[in-house]
Amino acid sequence: MDKFKAYLVTKQDRVCAAFTEMDESQLDDGEVDVRVEYASINYKDALAAIGRMPVIRRFPCIGGIDATGTVRASRSPLFKPGDPVIVHSHGFGVSHHGGYSPLARAPDGWVNRLPAGMSTLEAITIGVAGYTAALAVELMELNGLAPDKGKVLVNGASGGVASVAIDLLSQRGFHVVAATRKLAERDYLMGLGAAEVVDAASLPVGTRPLESAVWQGAVDSLGGEALAGLTRTMQRDGVIASIGNALGVEFTTTVMPFILRGVRLVGVNSDNDRALRDHLWQRLGSDLRPRYLANIAQVHPFEELPKMIDAVAGGQIKGRTVIRVQAPAA
Ligand SMILES: NC(=O)c1ccc[n+]([C@@H]2O[C@H](COP(=O)([O-])OP(=O)(O)OC[C@H]3O[C@@H](n4cnc5c(N)ncnc54)[C@H](OP(=O)(O)O)[C@@H]3O)[C@@H](O)[C@H]2O)c1
């Protein structure tokens, strides 16, 4: 590939992102070259591109923390040209050029072959967000989550992680309560399998160390005071999967939920080794396969990337914001 157009994040006085002409020699090292078909805009990608948080750890950096496509060239025994793959997490789009480019190069440990029968569009609709939701579901079930024990809250419900989490939990028989600031998205959320949709502002959070016990489980994309409220309102032996910080980083609570109710606060981090990534991607292609990816995907052409980054940063999106970088290989 000669020259190509990539979306590069740079920093001089301030962080700036723009389409820039680049060539192969400017890519970082790695064993696998991927012809990128789709990338996505995660919350983290939006923060990185507008410089709201110090997400990028090496400038300049092509943004995009996940991408799908086919292997163009491989110097790894694990992949061969033509393999359909996804690249995500670790340094991708953060300290190593990422997916907003028709050509990406990554270490083989960051690349997974797609499960049989999964298209590159389906895989990017899951993306790092859906992978993280699947990890959360697995960790919560290992910690005792079961459909007959009560309701599971998913907050930031119209977002990417939450949309896939609602789909996964509802298909496993859980009574899912979707909490959102966007009540206009009620039909969308019910369509993913939510049993109830509630206004995020109406959630009982309280101030006492222990409030009325409401939830057996919670998938938390928000952090901050939302997470604090969850600790106070969990049932005995309830499980919270802490995934994100869309609302805040710090939270204040007491040890009481943990020592008097046995509440389990489980950290979820998508930077996993190959064995766990392979395991979860296989599950996402089989018993954890999302049912409503076509509803969750909002697909936009590559040229609309800057506009859609602003929309994601402003919390104006629903589901997964997918960017079609170039047409899938014939
Ligand atoms: N741990 C990991 O490895 C990992 C992996 C992926 C993502 N994450 C994190 O998980 C979080 C969600 O990621 P995502 O890609 O799903 O983001 P997203 O698609 O932008 O969704 C976030 C949702 O949170 C809600 N929200 C946003 N700003 C808010 C605010 N100021 N106050 C209250 N609610 C707000 C909105 O939902 P409503 O409007 O419906 O309320 C929004 O749709 C992010 O913090 C991200 O960094 C972590």
Side-chain angles (χ1 to χ4, degrees), residues 6-36:
Y7 194 68
L8 193 67
V9 187
T10 55
K11 184 176 183 187
Q12 283 166 348
D13 298 340
R14 60 186 181 86
V15 171
C16 230
F19 285 115
T20 306
E21 195 165 271
M22 297 183 68
D23 64 54
E24 216 171 305
S25 70
Q26 293 172 281
L27 293 178
D28 292 308
D29 291 341
E31 297 84 29
V32 188
D33 291 358
V34 178
R35 180 186 182 276
V36 175

Side-chain angles (χ1 to χ4, degrees), residues 43 132 156-161 180-182 222 243-247 268 270:
Y43 189 67
T132 309
S158 69
V161 170
T180 180
R181 304 169 303 173
K182 303 186 194 89
L222 302 183
I243 288 183
N245 60 353
L247 178 59
V268 183
S270 60

Side-chain angles (χ1 to χ4, degrees), residues 45-66:
D45 291 313
L47 297 183
I50 65 173
R52 191 187 291 165
M53 297 255 278
V55 172
I56 301 284
R57 300 201 299 269
R58 194 281 320 269
F59 293 96
C61 189
I62 298 173
I65 65 171
D66 52 13

